[in-house]
Amino acid sequence: MTAEADLLIVGAPVYTADPARPWADAVAVRAGRVAAAGPERDLADLRGPSTRVLRLDGGLVLPGFQDAHVHTAAGGLELAQCDLHEVEPAAYAATVARYAADHPGDPWVLGGGWVMDAFGVGGPHRSALDAVVADRPVLLESTDGHSAWVNGLALELAGITRATPDPPRGRIERDASGEPTGALHEAAKALVGDHAPEPGQAEWEAAIERGQAHLHRLGITAWQDAAVEPDMLAAYRAVAERGRLTGRAVAALRWEVEAGGAQLADLVERRRTGTVGRLRASAVKIFSDGVFENRTAAMLEPYLDADGRPTGNLGIGMVAADELARVVTALDAEAFDVHVHAIGDRAVRDTLDAFQAAAAANGRRDARHQIAHLQFVHPDDRPRFRRLGVVANAQPFWSCLDGYMRELTLPFLEPERAGWQYPWASLRRAGAVLAFGSDWTVSTANPLREIEVAVRRVDPGDPDGEPFLPDERVDLPAALDAFTSGSAYALRLEAETGSVTPGKLADLAVLDRDPFDPAAGPIAGARVLATLVEGEPVHADPSLDLG
């Protein structure tokens, strides 16, 4: 006699993401795993007296989304701070003033979420903050986390004047007379940030649970937290040990450039102690460069000025190419998966060279090295991802004609290089494994909104607008796979998750509509009704009857 299922899900098509059998009509779950997926009538024998039945009225069942590059802990912390995400730029000052008034006992006003394209190349000015908060320092990070907006009191506290030099790997924005404006880029952020109060472990633990809940509401069951520092890892471990980590998390431990090779032994120890329950500290994150909009992405050719003439600026390489190769080789020798932030084409090439050097020195292994963001990829470098076994860790929400692209990117590029951006289809054609991530809170954590952009290459704020490099669009199955089976591979979870396959863990998402149906409306309009981890709900819409 066949053992009965604990849960049956019926009444909606199932996209399995399993190439051998991509579609089913129903799913049976037993002991936290997929017992069967197929026609509903074939699963009838698995229903017993104790079986819960989730009977849907259409929609779509699919593997739980897995975010290959997100900042769950930092995002959860930011949700409790002065949050400028989804705030219109005209309302930034009022929002900061309101937050400061509501938190009179806080020694600093901390938060973030402002967009660079609201201010132009020069960035925001301290005067707007000085006008609303004069009694304490203000430090607000941009959405991308690569710039900070501070008030005059924060500059004074940090001792930043016109005589202060730019730090290595950073830049202080200055006005025409040389005075600091209040915009700090890359390493210059730390000149103020080092004076701000640090969250305690209890705050980080609450932030992880808050961020996790946010991801679960969006159908996400696993993620890679893409820059985890020691205090964050300690909080992750505490949450996991208490059984409160309901998603699967890979902690990518942050590589500190200043510490050099001396930190390697500590990273190995943190991997050992930070692997518990659903948490694995198995990756290391390196920043290879900055971002294009503040002119710190490392480029092969100089940025253009506002008149279209080449400048002397090639961006900022956070790690020299030869040093990056040594670091990656050392980490690879310790069996870490190396996760590199690379925006510019020079940063991408240097990183691929580093992975090639590691393979030459240590031999090829089943590494899951990856390059994240990939805004500019030289055509000559695209086939190297397959040859080197490097995962293309892509953030699809950016691949459209939004304000950043129109105002801060395209005017400063030659047309040929402008066409090298976010080449998702080209990378797939070249054989790369494509894994999608959100980089939340840099952009939305909603995979369905991300997928909409990947499929259409259109700004979500202008759905009838012009597609950006439409030849680089991917179809819906490819986009779903990149957020499920592709990201599971990047996270080393593909043996247990990433598809609705018998024997795998029942990490599932349930949508209120079927995006494959042309009559269902925009992909981004779909809503997650339930998120299941090992068959148990970690998010459920009140309208659902989960038995």
Side-chain angles (χ1 to χ4, degrees):
M1 180 179 177
T2 303
E4 69 180 55
D6 300 318
L7 173 68
L8 284 176
I9 304 176
V10 299
V14 180
Y15 179 71
T16 69
D18 183 343
R21 189 174 185 175
W23 289 98
D25 298 324
V27 182
V29 177
R30 184 191 304 118
R33 294 183 178 271
V34 176
E40 182 177 347
R41 64 184 181 184
D42 290 358
L43 275 60
D45 289 346
L46 298 178
R47 182 172 180 177
S50 301
T51 301
R52 294 173 290 134
V53 179
L54 174 55
R55 188 168 296 279
L56 302 168
D57 184 18
L60 184 71
V61 181
L62 68 164
F65 296 117
Q66 301 192 29
D67 194 319
H69 184 109
V70 67
H71 300 282
T72 309
L77 184 68
E78 200 164 287
L79 288 175
Q81 296 179 329
C82 183
D83 188 3
L84 299 180
H85 294 90
E86 310 299 329
V87 175
E88 289 297 319
Y92 283 166
T95 302
V96 174
R98 186 166 54 251
Y99 179 89
D102 291 342
H103 298 80
D106 290 359
W108 285 59
V109 173
L110 301 173
W114 56 271
V115 294
M116 183 75 78
D117 59 316
F119 301 101
V121 175
H125 198 277
R126 65 182 187 276
S127 59
L129 297 178
D130 290 341
V132 294
V133 183
D135 63 336
R136 51 195 143 150
V138 179
L139 170 61
L140 304 169
E141 289 207 342
S142 59
T143 53
D144 58 28
H146 289 263
S147 298
W149 181 16
V150 303
N151 67 350
L153 191 56
L155 291 173
E156 182 182 339
L157 180 67
I160 299 174
T161 69
R162 64 185 302 151
T164 305
D166 288 344
R169 300 178 297 278
R171 189 176 79 247
I172 300 168
E173 199 70 53
R174 306 169 197 269
D175 63 20
S177 65
E179 291 293 333
T181 64
L184 306 171
H185 305 299
E186 302 299 342
K189 295 188 306 171
L191 298 177
V192 169
D194 285 348
H195 296 273
E198 292 289 334
Q201 178 156 323
E203 288 178 87
W204 277 123
E205 291 176 22
I208 289 165
E209 294 201 39
R210 192 182 301 118
Q212 168 178 259
H214 181 72
L215 299 185
H216 285 335
R217 286 192 291 272
L218 299 171
I220 297 168
T221 57
W223 61 86
Q224 180 167 207
D225 202 324
V228 175
E229 298 177 354
D231 50 354
M232 297 162 66
L233 184 63
Y236 255 119
R237 176 173 176 170
V239 173
E241 287 175 336
R242 291 200 305 270
R244 299 285 296 175
L245 190 63
T246 48
R248 307 183 196 286
V250 171
L253 309 176
R254 181 167 181 151
W255 178 267
E256 301 293 349
V257 175
E258 297 82 0
Q263 66 195 294
L264 185 58
D266 181 59
L267 290 170
V268 171
E269 177 62 13
R270 285 162 58 195
R271 176 176 58 187
R272 184 187 69 80
T273 61
T275 299
V276 56
R278 290 180 172 138
L279 172 68
R280 289 184 297 110
S282 54
V284 172
K285 165 72 174 295
I286 301 172
F287 285 89
S288 179
D289 67 344
V291 292
F292 193 90
E293 55 266 21
N294 70 13
R295 308 296 178 264
T296 59
M299 306 297 290
L300 290 169
E301 299 293 336
Y303 291 85
L304 303 183
D305 65 17
D307 296 318
R309 295 187 298 263
T311 68
N313 183 17
L314 291 168
I316 298 177
M318 301 298 173
V319 188
D322 56 350
E323 175 65 10
L324 181 63
R326 286 194 293 272
V327 169
V328 169
T329 299
L331 291 168
D332 178 74
E334 293 289 350
F336 279 107
D337 293 330
V338 183
H339 182 133
V340 181
H341 164 115
I343 293 280
D345 47 13
R346 176 164 59 95
V348 172
R349 179 167 291 177
D350 287 351
T351 304
L352 289 167
D353 289 346
F355 288 138
Q356 184 170 323
N362 302 329
R364 289 291 293 268
R365 65 180 181 87
D366 183 22
R368 305 297 165 89
H369 300 325
Q370 48 208 274
I371 304 178
H373 308 323
L374 301 167
Q375 181 170 353
F376 296 90
V377 185
H378 192 289
D380 291 349
D381 289 321
R382 295 169 191 172
R384 301 179 68 195
F385 283 79
R386 179 189 62 81
R387 293 200 298 267
L388 294 170
V390 175
V391 175
N393 189 317
Q395 286 60 63
F397 198 70
W398 308 338
S399 51
C400 63
L401 284 168
D402 60 5
Y404 274 61
M405 186 60 64
R406 292 183 187 276
E407 305 298 329
L408 301 179
T409 305
L410 294 178
F412 306 96
L413 283 168
E414 305 96 335
E416 180 187 27
R417 296 171 71 226
W420 295 352
Q421 296 186 78
Y422 304 122
W424 313 145
S426 293
L427 286 166
R428 288 191 78 246
R429 284 193 296 269
V433 173
L434 191 64
F436 277 169
S438 68
D439 206 12
W440 179 69
T441 60
V442 175
S443 57
T444 177
N446 187 338
L448 295 165
R449 294 186 67 196
E450 303 258 352
I451 288 168
E452 174 90 21
V453 179
V455 170
R456 299 190 63 223
R457 304 279 290 207
V458 170
D459 181 357
D462 184 18
D464 298 321
E466 177 187 357
F468 178 58
L469 303 176
D471 288 347
E472 294 297 347
R473 291 180 289 206
V474 295
D475 62 18
L476 180 55
L480 285 172
D481 289 351
F483 250 126
T484 55
S485 56
S487 46
Y489 177 84
L491 273 59
R492 290 190 180 270
L493 292 172
E494 79 280 6
E496 292 276 65
T497 67
S499 64
V500 187
T501 304
K504 288 192 175 183
L505 294 166
D507 293 1
L508 308 170
V510 179
L511 308 186
D512 69 342
R513 67 192 73 176
D514 180 359
F516 286 93
D517 182 353
I523 298 166
R527 189 165 57 91
V528 174
L529 295 178
T531 307
L532 309 179
V533 173
E534 297 181 33
E536 296 298 325
V538 293
H539 160 70
D541 189 274
S543 66
L544 284 187
D545 180 6
L546 287 168

